[in-house]
Amino acid sequence: MIGKPSFILGSCTSTALRHVVHMKRYLCGGDFIVHPYVKEALDSGRPVVALESTIITHGMPYPDNLRVAREVEETVQTNGSVPATIGVINGCIHVGLQDEELEILAKSKNVVKVSRRDFPYVLSQGLSGGTTVAGTMFVAHKARIPVFVTGGIGGVHREGEKTLDVSADLTELGRTPVAVISAGVKSILDIGRTLEYLETQGVCVATFGESREFPAFFLQHSGFQAPFQVKNEKDAAQMIARSLALQLGSGVLIGVPCPKDHAASGHQIEGAIQQALEEAQGKGILGKELTPFLLQRVNELSNGESLKANIALIKNNARVGSRIAVALNKIQRAQGSRNTLLPNENVSAVSRPVVIGGINVDIIAKAKDATILHGGQTNPSTVRQSFGGVGRNLADCLSRLGKTPFFISVMGKDEHSESVMRYCRHMDMGGVLQLEGHNTATYCAVITGSGELTLGLGDMDIHQQITEQYVSKFKENLCLAPLICIDGNVPISTIQYVCEIAKKNNLAVCYEPTDVDKASKPFVSDSWRALAYISPNLRELRAINRTLGHPVPADLPTKLEDIVDIAAKLAGPLLKELHCVVVTLGQHGVLVCGRNESGTISLHSRACNKSPTNVWYATHYPAIPVPAEKIMNVSGAGDSMPVLGFAQRPAENLQTATAAWASIPASCHEGSATSKQFLCKQLASPRASEADCICTAHRPIQIIPG
């Protein structure tokens, strides 16, 4: 039996809002905002690649600029690194941009080009802008990012010996220890004098590939030789590592030739450049206005060929730069230092959560009326596409909390997969396999006007390809993980394999049952005894008990007190092996069942050691009332809610996690505001002493065995 629970809510909402403010202060160090997924990658010693934003604000027209910015980030991610696009929005420097922030820069007309000299004015006036090569190098170095990818750098302008028109990119390379991966110097410049100037600045310059001839942006050959040559990513990384280790204080420039299939149009483009230069001279266009004019005019004269070549070389640079960053990261890790610029700051082996589960493209149809008419009628509704899958939801939310989980999943190589990768650009998708000839999983949900799910249709056969053989490729990631999350979409054999790994290595595993039909997968064998946590709803919990042979009620109660009582009874037998059972109760909140510690239920398994006690406790947290018109969808929020609490270590700043979730747009997790606000409450207080938003009336109630 369970004692009568209390329903007093206390000041949870106001406290959660205060935590949002703390979150912003935590991530914003003065004039800098480092996105959580970039910060987590840096803190855990993963490779990060900086990207500039003038290509978005001044390099291409909309919507080409936005599309290319997304594709470049995706290329960096696909090749093993975390992209960190740098820009200035409303007077604050951002290291890592959300998709909506990329769109702001792409669409804005009154944005400025921001070089090193411009930061004081732009920030003081609250302006927005795209960072140049020089500006991006400065910020990347401040953020401890050693590799930066761009299209091409500035240089000495033609007749620069008379005008002294020399790009700040060159002086920045002489004083900022960042490796710049580019297609060389724009061919509108004086390449010979540019190379001489770089030598004077002490910049190590090399070409990438089979030739020492320095590239000229659209052209593979400029007629000038670079001092050095690196043939592959490993050689380039070795050179960068040596430069950083010597603490020279200057940068490294690696020139990557334009891809061969676009080099053929280079001579046509070069003719257009010469004509555009003459036109610019005739119109008196100079300084910062020259490059945008030339890019637009050359694109017109070449019938769009220059834009195509520009896009191709930027994406090629991103591919090469990302691989160089990965190789550099391996060298630095082998040397026992995450960043040779900071030789005394050591980092241990990468240890981050692993999520294994499904990816879905969701088609959400929400009726405008509370009741749906059946019989062939058309119900007025709103229909839209979003991205889900239990595993993806988990990985998404953990990523937004800065945990950067390693996500293992499978999807098709079709029209849906590109949009999934673009939407999930903030996540580590390195463990996601794309299969030719298969459909990406899709799910269609029909929802009433009040947010209740009435019908779900799914094409999810591809989830059966998340096989034991595929997951075993990532055994090292599993063995290092502080938490493994696995959902019910995964085949039974894969779940059993993960549980076996967890048992041998004393790892904490959380199982999200997904739905009634899939809930019992770990429980058909003894695999479930290796789990630390599960987060079923009441129907899933009943199905699990039925599979284990325990008595279950034929009908579930409707009164709150009876619901809580039966949930506690059904959780009791599982707690003999599991550390914690979180039962999601929809509009009635959540029941957290486990061991009492300092006045609350412990969410932390401490390496999953089993406690000898036969006494367990349950705490019921009612949901915060939310007006019906604010509820978008009550399906989905429960996927992520309990696991995010499990992912926090006791000593961590839990306000950060609270505010990160609170800041996620509702469209990202499709959960009701009720569940979302409860999560803020739950994450803020895994221990009563760490936050004041859980009222003292929410004391654990003992579950009496039997």
Side-chain angles (χ1 to χ4, degrees):
M1 298 291 291
I2 183 169
K4 183 176 181 179
S6 171
F7 305 116
I8 300 175
L9 291 175
S11 58
C12 171
T13 304
S14 61
T15 305
L17 292 175
R18 292 201 302 272
H19 291 162
V20 175
V21 176
H22 293 324
M23 172 67 171
K24 292 179 179 177
R25 290 174 181 167
Y26 174 71
L27 292 178
C28 183
D31 298 315
F32 280 73
I33 293 179
V34 180
H35 193 283
Y37 73 80
V38 176
K39 181 181 184 300
E40 170 68 13
L42 292 169
D43 288 347
S44 62
R46 296 174 58 216
V48 178
V49 170
L51 300 169
E52 58 150 301
S53 50
T54 48
I55 189 174
I56 306 171
T57 57
H58 295 81
M60 294 179 186
Y62 180 83
D64 292 317
N65 54 355
L66 180 59
R67 174 176 59 84
V68 172
R70 289 167 171 168
E71 290 176 354
V72 169
E73 288 199 343
E74 184 177 330
T75 300
V76 169
Q77 190 171 27
T78 301
N79 286 276
S81 297
V82 174
T85 301
I86 293 170
V88 180
I89 298 178
N90 297 329
C92 197
I93 299 169
H94 289 248
V95 181
L97 295 175
Q98 300 268 29
D99 195 67
E100 56 267 27
E101 292 166 340
L102 285 175
E103 193 162 354
I104 288 171
L105 291 180
K107 288 183 175 180
S108 298
K109 302 296 183 182
N110 300 318
V111 289
V112 295
K113 292 177 74 172
V114 186
S115 189
R116 173 190 276 259
R117 69 161 192 181
D118 305 306
F119 280 116
Y121 179 78
V122 170
L123 269 58
S124 67
Q125 298 298 309
L127 303 179
S128 298
T131 52
T132 65
V133 170
T136 306
M137 286 184 69
F138 168 75
V139 175
H141 177 52
K142 290 285 187 183
R144 301 179 289 118
I145 302 173
V147 177
F148 160 42
V149 165
T150 184
I153 67 165
V156 178
H157 283 255
R158 299 183 186 191
E159 299 190 345
E161 71 278 11
K162 299 177 183 178
T163 63
L164 297 182
D165 192 350
V166 179
S167 171
D169 298 351
L170 304 187
T171 51
E172 198 66 40
L173 275 161
R175 62 185 170 188
T176 302
V178 170
V180 179
I181 316 301
S182 79
V185 179
K186 297 180 179 73
S187 53
I188 60 176
L189 304 171
D190 188 327
I191 296 175
R193 283 190 170 89
T194 297
L195 290 171
E196 291 288 345
Y197 195 93
L198 288 169
E199 180 184 357
T200 302
Q201 292 291 314
V203 179
C204 180
V205 179
T207 57
F208 182 90
E210 298 301 321
S211 172
R212 254 188 64 195
E213 189 165 350
F214 196 69
F217 206 63
F218 296 122
L219 300 174
Q220 289 191 324
H221 308 289
S222 65
F224 296 91
Q225 296 288 303
F228 310 109
Q229 172 191 1
V230 288
K231 293 187 176 182
N232 52 48
E233 291 88 355
K234 184 177 179 181
D235 290 348
Q238 290 281 6
M239 184 175 69
I240 297 168
R242 288 289 185 267
S243 177
L244 294 174
L246 289 170
Q247 300 187 41
L248 295 174
S250 54
V252 172
L253 175 63
I254 297 177
V256 181
C258 180
K260 290 182 180 180
D261 52 348
H262 287 274
S265 60
H267 294 286
Q268 174 193 349
I269 297 169
E270 188 65 22
I273 289 173
Q274 296 304 321
Q275 181 178 336
L277 279 169
E278 293 175 4
E279 293 179 8
Q281 188 174 11
K283 295 180 179 180
I285 299 174
L286 300 169
K288 296 172 73 172
E289 305 303 321
L290 179 60
T291 298
F293 169 80
L294 290 175
L295 290 172
Q296 180 177 347
R297 187 63 182 133
V298 169
N299 188 48
E300 294 170 355
L301 293 170
S302 66
N303 296 317
E305 288 301 313
S306 66
L307 180 60
K308 293 178 183 177
N310 196 357
I311 292 170
L313 69 85
I314 290 167
K315 292 171 71 173
N316 185 57
N317 292 349
R319 179 183 62 83
V320 173
S322 181
R323 293 179 179 182
I324 290 173
V326 170
L328 175 62
N329 183 261
K330 289 180 180 178
I331 293 170
Q332 293 176 331
R333 293 173 66 77
Q335 294 172 347
S337 172
R338 179 178 74 250
N339 189 334
T340 45
L341 291 172
L342 303 168
N344 295 323
E345 189 174 347
N346 294 323
V347 65
S348 59
V350 174
S351 175
R352 54 195 175 113
V354 173
V355 178
I356 308 169
I359 297 173
N360 293 339
V361 175
D362 293 338
I363 309 299
I364 309 297
K366 184 176 182 180
K368 292 184 178 180
D369 297 327
T371 303
I372 292 180
L373 300 176
H374 300 279
Q377 299 98 321
T378 297
N379 290 266
S381 62
T382 56
V383 181
R384 62 188 182 83
Q385 176 181 292
S386 63
F387 301 94
V390 174
R392 198 216 63 83
N393 291 347
L394 292 172
D396 188 340
C397 292
L398 286 169
S399 296
R400 293 174 190 272
L401 286 171
K403 295 298 175 184
T404 319
F406 185 72
F407 182 36
I408 301 172
S409 189
V410 177
M411 61 181 177
K413 201 165 188 179
D414 54 17
E415 68 276 10
H416 291 308
S417 59
E418 289 186 11
S419 58
V420 169
M421 293 299 289
R422 183 164 57 248
Y423 181 82
C424 298
R425 46 182 279 276
H426 60 288
M427 297 161 54
D428 183 351
M429 302 286 279
V432 177
L433 178 65
Q434 296 187 50
L435 292 176
E436 296 275 6
H438 288 76
N439 296 330
T440 297
T442 52
Y443 173 73
C444 179
V446 180
I447 298 169
T448 66
S450 59
E452 294 293 334
L453 177 67
T454 61
L455 179 65
L457 301 171
D459 174 8
M460 303 186 189
D461 291 346
I462 196 170
H463 292 155
Q464 298 307 305
Q465 302 301 318
I466 310 175
T467 61
E468 174 185 346
Q469 290 75 16
Y470 180 63
V471 173
S472 66
K473 294 180 180 180
F474 308 105
K475 183 176 179 180
E476 183 179 357
N477 300 75
L478 294 172
C479 292
L480 289 173
L483 177 68
I484 300 170
C485 305
I486 189 164
D487 77 24
N489 291 305
V490 176
I492 291 176
S493 59
T494 306
I495 294 173
Q496 291 174 341
Y497 169 75
V498 171
C499 288
E500 181 181 345
I501 293 290
K503 185 176 181 180
K504 289 181 179 178
N505 295 275
N506 204 26
L507 304 173
V509 179
C510 176
Y511 177 65
E512 216 306 318
T514 308
D515 66 31
V516 172
D517 293 332
K518 301 170 183 176
S520 298
K521 284 185 176 181
F523 299 89
V524 298
S525 69
D526 283 342
S527 297
W528 73 278
R529 299 180 189 277
L531 301 176
Y533 314 102
I534 60 169
S535 51
N537 62 31
L538 193 54
R539 293 183 182 277
E540 292 162 352
L541 182 59
R542 181 176 63 172
I544 289 169
N545 274 269
R546 184 183 290 119
T547 299
L548 292 174
H550 300 144
V552 296
D555 299 310
L556 294 176
T558 56
K559 291 183 178 179
L560 175 59
E561 187 168 345
D562 295 335
I563 290 172
V564 171
D565 186 71
I566 194 64
K569 285 181 178 178
L570 292 174
L574 305 183
L575 289 170
K576 295 177 181 178
E577 297 291 341
L578 305 183
H579 180 80
C580 187
V581 176
V582 177
V583 188
T584 58
L585 303 174
Q587 63 180 329
H588 298 299
V590 172
L591 187 72
V592 182
C593 307
R595 290 159 181 80
N596 183 14
E597 183 177 309
S598 302
T600 189
I601 303 298
S602 168
L603 294 181
H604 306 287
S605 67
R606 285 167 181 75
C608 215
N609 291 326
K610 307 294 184 185
S611 171
T613 182
N614 288 322
V615 180
W616 302 284
Y617 294 79
T619 303
H620 176 239
Y621 296 98
I624 297 173
V626 175
E629 63 272 14
K630 292 187 177 181
I631 298 176
M632 294 177 56
N633 178 353
V634 301
S635 175
D639 295 349
S640 305
M641 183 190 62
V643 175
L644 298 179
F646 304 148
Q648 301 297 324
R649 292 187 293 271
E652 283 191 304
N653 185 338
L654 296 169
Q655 288 91 334
T656 299
T658 301
W661 174 261
S663 66
I664 297 172
S667 59
C668 294
H669 50 73
E670 292 301 321
S672 70
T674 303
S675 296
K676 178 178 174 181
Q677 291 183 45
F678 169 76
L679 174 64
C680 293
K681 174 171 142 185
Q682 178 65 9
L683 278 182
S685 296
R687 289 188 174 191
S689 60
E690 289 182 337
D692 60 357
C693 67
I694 297 295
C695 179
T696 54
H698 289 289
R699 295 189 179 93
I701 308 299
Q702 182 176 337
I703 301 173
I704 301 173

